[in-house]
Amino acid sequence: MCGIFGYIGTEKAAPFLLEGLRTLEYRGYDSAGIFVHGHGVIKAAGPISSLEAKLPKDIQGTAGIAHTRWATHGAPSEKNAHPHHDMSGRIWLVHNGIIENYRELKEGLAVQGITFYSETDTEVLVKLIGSFYKGDLLEATRLALRAVRGTYGLAVVSEHEPNKIIVARMGSPIVLGLGKEGNFIASDPSALLVHTKRVVYLDDGEIASVSKDSFEVTTIRGEKKTKKSEIVEWEHEAVQKNGFAHFMLKEMFEAPEVVLNTLRGRLNVEEGTAKLGGLEMVEERIKHIQRLHIIGCGSAYYAGEVGRYMLEEYAHIPVEVELGSEYRYKKTYPDKKAAALFVSQSGETADTRASVEKAKSMQMLTLGMVNVVGSAIAREVDAGIYNHAGPEVAVASTKAYISQLTAFALMALYLGRQRGMSKAEGLDIVKALQSLPETMRAVLKKNDEIAKVAKKYAQYRDFMYIGRTFHSPIAYEGALKLKEVSYIHAEAYAGGELKHGPIAMLDKDFPVLAIVPQNDVYEKMISNIEEVRARLAPVVALATEGDLQISAVADDVIYMPKVHPLLQPIVAVLPLQLFAYHVGVAKGLNVDRPRNLAKSVTVE
Ligand code: M6R
């Protein structure tokens, strides 16, 4: 949700700023802007390419800040684009987050005669900093931030002090990159990889003064902090398209490797169990947990729903799955026998983060399932599992979702073996997991076939997805993917629910995608499909290879390999992701950057 990039060093800043913005564009693409010392500011509405078209070739300055915006306050226009400036026009700020008390602050500033040119909360913040400025930008920023309620990741510069960039964090990520040609700042380490892998993550309440060869971190109250740098494991290549038409396609094609990386070093083939190093330090507590809450937003929530089926069936542990945006406000009770597991690709989602606080205050053990190493949630929970899916750039989550389901299968095995699963059953699952990358490869071979089916259905206005048990959340995830990248109205229901209302909508113009693997609810799903056909709705079935019955009831069939029932949802979701992608492409849409969305939702 908004991307920030900054550089201060010995090289020309503008090319670095532009490149940083391009990598961060998935965080927002409503408008963009840069400020370079010695040159000034340039802004443009629309994507980074519009900004690029406006940039002169010869910008000389060696320090600057940049921003790509996902609009919260004010329309996505050039006027509202960042950087914003104070009354003197010499202090410039880029900001990711929301200043909740901006109206109150604005009124106070207006009384002092300060005027405003935009509708943004960010302009209020920079004017506040300007109002405190007496030659020391760090101190003025500290004073301003003490008066602020809300969230921010920010970078601020003053033309009076060109040798420093001040950055601060509260709720929205800021990471420093320590490079040879100077120092960098970014909302996400992926934007730093081309320059350096040595990074320093700021924590909430911290503020840093960054110069070309050093940095100093304090709190907004002025206490000194000692920060250690860390090495990011991701490769720069991972944030390139590498010949694929879109990041989304590339990321789906990474599924076999992602599964392999999620499993790497985590299968115990002798004992038929999983080894989850990140949970070892809380192993004894986990053994005595009687209930598990799984919390996430969007796709991460649907991954949690699949996790619930896996854990209840194979580890016999009662699970409740909650949306982060609801859990944080929900009435809960102190419960030392419960653990709360937070699922988040980015590790920055504001509602999921707020729920961590809530679970902690209820004395629960807090666990994370996070992809971005060093992200806020990863650092705030007691223990956890990293996904190791690599950076996910496309706004619609695909490979991270597959990795989350794989990690849930590992958890089901690990907790299952602790709670009575036989060694023989454990060994079966280990074997199935070992062949999962190959199975995902087999699914990808069907890409062209799936594209053909997708093309046939791309012109419909509505879609219904249905599935049962483990595949009911997969139906929701499939529908979410279609909505995100094709803007087709897509609903999802557990198959058995259709006749309780939604079937009223179905007719020849409302196709149904039925997930119908050969499992213990197969016959029930066939009955649901018959009910749908009776209303003339076209049916696309996602069925098991070798199913001879299905083509008699479905208009189109996408076949998937049969695997161990625990892993079937992992195999089922990939064709649905590919289907959504090809529908979006057939409609000529920007599937990597769907309208109105941003990848990392750091506002509440
Ligand atoms: O980074 P997180 O996993 O916490 O993000 C949660 C959701 O915002 C995310 O899954 C969103 O729904 C994606 N756009 C789904 O494709």
Side-chain angles (χ1 to χ4, degrees):
M1 207 128 273
C2 299
I4 290 177
F5 195 83
Y7 168 70
I8 182 159
T10 50
E11 306 293 312
K12 282 188 192 167
F16 287 170
L17 296 178
L18 200 60
E19 183 184 43
L21 286 187
R22 274 198 217 103
T23 313
L24 293 172
E25 194 169 15
Y26 69 87
R27 298 182 71 91
Y29 28 85
D30 292 336
S31 61
I34 66 169
F35 168 86
V36 177
H37 275 300
H39 183 89
V41 79
I42 302 156
K43 304 187 199 188
I48 311 291
S49 51
S50 312
L51 174 71
E52 193 175 358
K54 281 178 87 175
L55 288 187
K57 292 227 163 13
D58 55 349
I59 299 179
Q60 297 296 321
T62 60
I65 54 176
H67 187 268
T68 180
R69 177 168 186 247
W70 186 84
T72 58
H73 295 60
S77 62
E78 189 173 324
K79 182 182 66 166
N80 289 332
H82 301 211
H84 286 287
H85 63 80
D86 76 329
M87 276 302 272
S88 71
R90 312 293 299 268
I91 296 177
W92 293 89
L93 171 78
V94 291
H95 166 226
N96 168 24
I98 290 182
I99 306 303
E100 286 166 7
N101 58 339
Y102 82 103
R103 279 206 179 84
E104 173 188 324
L105 295 170
K106 196 171 182 174
E107 279 162 22
L109 290 165
V111 170
Q112 298 172 39
I114 292 175
T115 54
F116 297 87
Y117 58 83
S118 78
E119 300 145 66
T120 63
D121 51 342
T122 304
E123 186 195 347
V124 176
L125 179 55
V126 71
K127 293 222 155 132
L128 187 66
I129 295 172
S131 75
F132 286 119
Y133 188 72
K134 295 200 172 58
D136 183 347
L137 186 62
L138 177 61
E139 188 52 23
T141 310
R142 270 200 202 113
L143 290 171
L145 293 181
R146 284 186 215 160
V148 152
R149 258 195 342 267
T151 56
Y152 50 80
L154 62 83
V156 54
V157 291
S158 163
E159 290 178 35
H160 303 289
E161 300 171 72
N163 54 352
K164 64 173 79 145
I165 301 176
I166 305 298
V167 290
R169 168 184 178 137
M170 179 63 77
S172 302
I174 287 285
V175 53
L176 314 183
L178 313 178
K180 284 200 191 84
E181 65 277 67
N183 287 328
F184 299 83
I185 56 158
S187 299
D188 182 324
S190 65
L192 301 171
L193 295 175
V194 63
H195 305 288
T196 179
K197 288 183 154 199
R198 202 150 68 89
V199 302
V200 175
Y201 295 96
L202 281 201
D203 285 307
D204 280 352
E206 290 180 346
I207 185 164
S209 176
V210 184
S211 69
K212 71 176 174 9
D213 45 19
S214 68
F215 70 95
E216 200 173 87
V217 182
T218 53
T219 66
I220 62 167
R221 302 254 154 234
E223 296 107 7
K224 276 209 155 80
K225 297 285 291 236
T226 312
K227 305 287 287 187
K228 278 205 184 118
S229 65
E230 298 173 37
I231 301 297
V232 186
E233 282 173 17
W234 292 347
E235 296 299 331
H236 175 53
E237 249 211 342
V239 290
Q240 306 297 304
K241 280 192 208 148
N242 299 337
F244 282 90
H246 298 99
F247 278 109
M248 187 177 171
L249 186 63
K250 176 194 163 223
E251 286 163 4
M252 291 183 291
F253 268 79
E254 281 171 10
E257 194 189 328
V258 163
V259 169
L260 199 66
N261 287 340
T262 306
L263 296 176
R264 199 179 299 283
R266 287 170 165 172
L267 290 178
N268 180 336
V269 287
E270 272 80 45
E271 291 306 314
T273 187
K275 181 177 158 43
L276 297 174
L279 299 184
E280 265 164 19
M281 57 181 164
V282 292
E283 198 166 1
E284 275 314 301
R285 259 186 100 180
I286 286 181
K287 274 187 190 152
H288 299 103
I289 286 305
Q290 291 178 359
R291 286 166 289 284
L292 182 68
H293 301 216
I294 301 177
I295 296 111
C297 297
S299 293
Y301 169 76
Y302 295 137
E305 283 283 7
V306 179
R308 172 163 72 93
Y309 281 102
M310 290 177 168
L311 291 163
E312 289 187 338
E313 179 84 22
Y314 291 90
H316 314 293
I317 180 162
V319 178
E320 281 174 39
V321 189
E322 305 273 358
L323 290 164
S325 52
E326 290 294 315
Y327 187 80
R328 57 181 299 193
Y329 302 115
K330 197 183 134 162
K331 180 86 192 141
T332 39
Y333 302 93
D335 190 352
K336 288 188 183 156
K337 298 248 162 79
L341 170 67
F342 300 89
V343 185
S344 177
Q345 187 285 128
S346 62
E348 301 289 348
T349 300
D351 285 319
T352 310
R353 272 192 80 188
S355 299
V356 177
E357 288 309 306
K358 165 97 172 218
K360 281 192 165 167
S361 71
M362 294 294 128
Q363 298 160 28
M364 291 176 203
L365 172 68
T366 56
L367 306 172
M369 184 189 287
V370 171
N371 189 37
V372 178
V373 176
S375 58
I377 294 172
R379 284 177 293 143
E380 284 158 6
V381 291
D382 297 317
I385 310 180
Y386 277 121
N387 286 106
H388 300 308
E392 190 177 61
V393 177
V395 167
S397 180
T398 55
K399 67 172 181 173
Y401 185 81
I402 285 169
S403 168
Q404 285 159 354
L405 299 196
T406 309
F408 270 119
L410 280 169
M411 276 188 83
L413 174 63
Y414 170 79
L415 294 174
R417 289 286 284 128
Q418 275 181 5
R419 288 161 193 252
M421 180 192 287
S422 70
K423 184 171 171 182
E425 189 176 2
L427 285 170
D428 256 7
I429 296 174
V430 167
K431 213 165 135 204
L433 279 166
Q434 282 176 317
S435 44
L436 189 57
E438 204 42 53
T439 313
M440 299 307 265
R441 224 162 269 136
V443 175
L444 289 171
K445 290 203 177 118
K446 296 186 178 288
N447 181 41
D448 291 347
E449 217 177 284
I450 295 170
K452 257 193 216 147
V453 182
K455 228 171 165 182
K456 182 171 161 192
Y457 288 87
Q459 299 317 318
Y460 283 91
R461 240 192 45 191
D462 308 284
F463 237 100
M464 173 79 75
Y465 282 61
I466 55 170
R468 281 177 182 250
T469 65
F470 285 63
H471 295 88
S472 142
I474 294 296
Y476 282 85
E477 174 61 13
L480 176 64
K481 278 307 79 101
L482 191 69
K483 284 184 264 208
E484 286 186 292
V485 303
S486 78
Y487 316 148
I488 290 177
H489 161 236
E491 303 222 13
Y493 277 90
E497 275 299 292
L498 266 192
K499 52 188 168 295
H500 296 289
I503 199 165
M505 294 189 291
L506 299 185
D507 61 17
K508 65 173 181 27
D509 297 319
F510 206 133
V512 174
L513 195 150
I515 307 160
V516 53
Q518 279 176 324
N519 58 15
D520 49 357
V521 287
Y522 177 78
E523 293 302 337
K524 299 276 178 223
M525 280 300 297
I526 295 290
S527 304
N528 292 146
I529 294 174
E530 294 287 11
E531 290 153 15
V532 160
R533 270 162 52 82
R535 274 78 193 175
L536 306 180
V539 175
V540 183
L542 177 59
T544 313
E545 242 144 39
D547 180 344
L548 301 176
Q549 198 182 332
I550 195 71
S551 55
V553 292
D555 298 276
D556 292 279
V557 185
I558 298 168
Y559 287 102
M560 59 180 163
K562 187 176 176 79
V563 290
H564 190 290
L566 173 69
L567 311 186
Q568 195 68 58
I570 313 178
V571 175
V573 79
L574 183 53
L576 299 188
Q577 295 173 343
L578 288 164
F579 179 79
Y581 167 80
H582 287 297
V583 172
V585 170
K587 290 183 74 175
L589 299 172
N590 184 346
V591 289
D592 278 343
R593 289 179 203 130
R595 69 185 179 203
N596 304 339
L597 296 181
K599 187 149 187 76
S600 187
V601 185
T602 52
V603 295
E604 300 171 345

